[in-house]
Amino acid sequence: MPPPVATGTALYAQVLVNVTARTLQDRIFTYLIPEEFHAVARIGQPVLVPFGAQTDLTGFIVDLGDTYEGRFKLREITDILDEQPLFDAEYYDFIRWVSDYYATPIPQVLDVALPANLVQKARKVVFAGANLTDPMAVRKVQHEKNGRKALELVEFLYQNTSSLDEPLSGKGYTPKYLAGKLRLPTKAINQLLARLRALGLVTVETELRAKTAIKTIRKVFSRPEAETAEKLTARQREIVAYLRDKPEGVPVQQVVAELGTTPETLKRLESLGALRLEEVQSVRDPLSLYRQLQEHTHFKLSAYQQAAMDAVICGDNSAPYLLYGITGSGKTEVYMSLARHMLENGQSVLVMVPEIALTSQIARRFIAHFGSENIALWHSNLSDGEKADTWQKLNNGELKILIGARSAVWAPMKRLGLIMIDEEHESSYKQDSPAPRYNAKTLAMELARRTGARLLLGSATPEVAVFYEAKAGKRILHLPERFGGRQLAKVSIVDMKRERAQGNRNQLSRALDEELLRNLETGEQSIILLNRRGFYTTIQCTTCDYIFMCPDCDVAVTFHRTRNMVCCHYCGHEGERPQYCPVCAGMELSHSGVGTQRIEDELVRKFPEARVLRLDSDVMQRKHAHREIFEAFSAGEGDILIGTQIVAKGLDVGNVTLVGVVSADSAFALPDYKSAERGFQLLTQVAGRAGRGDKPGRVVIQAVQTQHMVLLHTEKQDYDGFYEEEIQQRETLGFPPFSQLFRFIVSCENEKKGQQFIQAAALHLRESFGQAGLEQQIQLMGPAPCVLPRIQARYRFHLLVKSFAGEPARQVVADFYRQTLSGSALPEDINFILDIDAQSLL
């Protein structure tokens, strides 16, 4: 049968179907578009389609056309789940690029990009339409195909609608329910609803994620036209009067609380016609906590800040700019000034921060500056419903500024003019799992290239590779002075070996004790950094030296005293505190090492009058805990804030004049090519929390390796000196930015099986490079056991690839990985992972 003749509307849809088979995951399938959907079909719409023996798989329309050159008989789209597209053609093209670059199937990329369950639980709901009582409209359908069924449906909706003046206040029904009631197949009910909808007899709304996306609240509305005053008691008239000047309605709970009434009384008043109760959609508002902030729209930029802003606005957008400013130099003011310029020119702005906690910090600054109407937040602590609301507003172009963590890079922003990535050096911009294991900075660069947006990276301690590229391209915008002329804090290094030799067995040095006491006496605040949570980090038998390990990982368990439990910080295993050694049955167990809980305990013991706050991942398991603690500390409700690396980022409290670092060596003692870089960044960033107000700051860093190059440069807060020393070592060893680094990771419950698999993979990969003529531009390192050789009862091996061949080598790596996953040589119990642009070797 020849294909239908094109009539100006799309007849065929290319659909990306959500199938699980690896060999089909990136395949696009052609479907006929039923006549009732011709006028509404759009790229980016979620649809239901038949596939194989299944009749209702979800998918997305990714292209439309009016011709079909194939020979196979096509099946029809069953339903369009949401007529509002979730993305457009340009967005889908970006998704395809990500899929190719990170060797990840497109459906997996979409699973990460789109808010969770945005599509899977979408459903249509049919309501009575405004013309339901119009005889002319009804007569038009009664003589058509399924006309009797159409009249039956009209009568059913009429009988079950509470108010035809407000049609959406009636009860809604899903097409599936109506199909069952009318005994019609899905295709027929869709055709019938399309005709009824065109005549205004029904309206069809889409509920996204029915269980969570649409949140409703029961409100009370006044009915000023009602003549019921003579029927009401004085108490009832008081309730009616309360509602009279509130046409937007009042939540039932608020009326009950403020007037001391009951829900039953309100229902009685509704039956008398004196008021109206209604379930209305409640749009979630993640910014509600900031609505009361006073707006500040003016501040004066320094000469350095103005020069940086002018360079971004007047320069080209061919590559990222690096805003390199010492801690406290006023990078946020530059961000806000650039954002204002973009908004004035009708463009939108994406602001990315590395941590959930920092989202609220910078959001406070932006909302106080711009107001809250055009700003949205995006991070993993938002509910699925909050993300769904925000996604649709962004997709509609209703919001102009988005502030969020890593995943904000996926947001469908319209007229994007500027992307700003604050604290760009942070490792949290890289996703470790699940696939795609993307770097948000890499995606932002590609997004900027596609949209023409400018990209600004900001940091006081830039990533070495980023600084290298910006320096080579002369795109460094330097802020060498603290805002307001304030000085950097003075840094002191304390040798803990000497402290121990002099009899100090505490975790805090005498110098840090003295400085803490001084701050408590003067009413100034202090921050203590220790990058380990828990109370003790190691439990050991003093008889046989057995160390208590996680049963599933090659990692020592950590004792958490508040719960009297031992925990593994890698797999989450928990157990009771051991009472004896399982090897020799010895009862003498020593507890060594130090965690945040133990430091907290020592601070409370030494300074009982101090108000001590703790912030680590244990505390942050409670939603909004980080924001509550930050706000309490910023408001002066705490004297000492102790925490892991989260306290080194984004805190700008003028009364903080002291920062202490315990066990600083742990920041740079890991067997990783970026260990020194991360250590310097962490120590310099936390030092920058001190002295941001009018009073000078002091920093006390406790360490054992006091002559390590990281500490020597941190003491001077000398990034340039650190960079020169580090970049020379990178060049000598051939690590990024002088190469591209790929890491293959294999895990298996059977150690020998996992080892054999990665050895075979290394051999085949080397052959692939040889066939491509790239063997001389590649270095293979390994395979070898990972630094942590066993996690979650699985043995781990890795293979590193240093590439000096650019994009051709990346393509070889990606093709090899895809072929291995899709082939029959991958055993079921083998996990095989590819990390492109690996940031860690642990």
Side-chain angles (χ1 to χ4, degrees), residues 581-614:
C581 174
V583 175
C584 69
M587 302 290 286
E588 297 295 328
L589 306 180
S590 70
H591 297 69
S592 60
V594 58
T596 48
Q597 293 177 17
R598 188 175 178 190
I599 293 295
E600 180 184 29
D601 200 58
E602 184 171 331
L603 287 169
V604 171
R605 176 173 53 82
K606 287 183 175 179
F607 309 108
E609 74 282 8
R611 297 168 298 171
V612 179
L613 302 175
R614 176 167 59 87

Side-chain angles (χ1 to χ4, degrees), residues 23 53 75 105 150 158 169 185 243 336 508 537 580 614 764 769 775 790 814:
T23 55
R75 304 173 77 176
Y158 181 84
S169 66
L243 295 169
M336 291 191 290
L508 304 181
T537 56
Y580 62 89
R614 176 167 59 87
H764 293 312
F769 283 127
E775 64 269 36
R790 191 172 67 108

Side-chain angles (χ1 to χ4, degrees), residues 149-171:
K149 296 290 185 179
L151 290 176
E152 187 178 336
L153 176 57
V154 168
E155 178 63 22
F156 172 75
L157 291 175
Y158 181 84
Q159 295 294 335
N160 290 277
T161 298
S162 60
S163 171
L164 294 180
D165 294 330
E166 299 175 38
L168 294 187
S169 66
K171 185 176 180 181

Side-chain angles (χ1 to χ4, degrees), residues 27-44:
R27 291 271 305 274
I28 305 299
F29 298 91
T30 303
Y31 285 85
L32 272 171
I33 302 175
E35 182 181 354
E36 63 269 21
F37 294 143
H38 280 177
V40 297
R42 298 289 184 274
I43 292 174

Side-chain angles (χ1 to χ4, degrees), residues 498-517:
R498 182 176 299 175
E499 287 277 323
R500 299 289 181 261
Q502 294 174 353
N504 182 8
R505 298 301 177 189
N506 294 317
Q507 302 307 314
L508 304 181
S509 64
R510 286 167 295 191
L512 185 51
D513 280 344
E514 292 171 2
E515 295 293 347
L516 286 167
L517 181 59

Side-chain angles (χ1 to χ4, degrees), residues 88 342-350 394 397 399-400 412-418 451-453:
D88 55 22
M342 293 297 164
L343 264 60
E344 290 171 351
N345 285 274
Q347 295 179 295
S348 61
V349 178
L350 172 61
L394 290 168
L399 298 169
K400 302 301 182 185
M413 301 195 71
K414 304 302 181 185
R415 290 184 55 80
L416 184 61
L418 176 66
T451 61

